[in-house]
Amino acid sequence: MSEMNPPIKVQILGKEYPISCPEDQQHDLLIAARYLDEKMRQIRGTGRVIGTERIAVMAALNIAHELLQAQQQNKLLSQDLRDRFSSLHERLDAALDTD
């Protein structure tokens, strides 16, 4: 029988949330909670968004946008690397064929 880990307490906008998490992922959870708290504080600090729920939704949208941009950048970099490896492979083949 697997043992349940006690929930970790994270602080977001001054409110404490107990979150259950596998022990090997607790550090990442704390980093994610800190990042979310920073984003929410930034949004609240602008004074343009009022209410915790709206701030949370805006933070989630901003973080989702960052994720999608990073994924797109990763795809572009991956394609660039594939193109470079292909070019190098062709050049290597051509160099080996001349011998």
Side-chain angles (χ1 to χ4, degrees):
M1 199 176 246
S2 67
E3 224 176 281
M4 292 293 291
N5 292 325
I8 297 178
K9 294 177 182 171
V10 298
Q11 293 273 335
I12 299 173
L13 285 185
K15 187 171 180 184
E16 190 173 274
Y17 296 90
I19 310 283
S20 294
C21 178
E23 189 172 340
D24 63 336
Q25 296 176 17
Q26 290 177 356
H27 179 72
D28 290 338
L29 172 65
L30 291 172
I31 291 171
R34 219 173 295 130
Y35 186 73
L36 176 60
D37 183 59
E38 279 179 32
K39 290 294 183 182
M40 290 179 69
R41 287 178 186 280
Q42 287 172 0
I43 292 166
R44 185 180 65 182
T46 67
R48 290 183 277 172
V49 181
I50 298 174
T52 305
E53 186 176 303
R54 287 178 184 252
I55 292 170
V57 169
M58 290 302 297
L61 286 171
N62 288 339
I63 292 168
H65 183 256
E66 289 173 6
L67 174 63
L68 292 172
Q69 284 184 317
Q71 288 174 337
Q72 183 62 31
Q73 184 68 25
N74 188 36
K75 284 180 187 177
L76 293 173
L77 289 174
S78 294
Q79 185 60 47
D80 184 49
L81 285 176
R82 281 193 294 273
D83 292 346
R84 287 181 185 201
F85 279 125
S86 179
S87 175
L88 287 172
H89 185 34
E90 289 171 8
R91 289 170 49 194
L92 183 58
D93 282 347
L96 291 175
D97 284 342
T98 60
D99 289 340

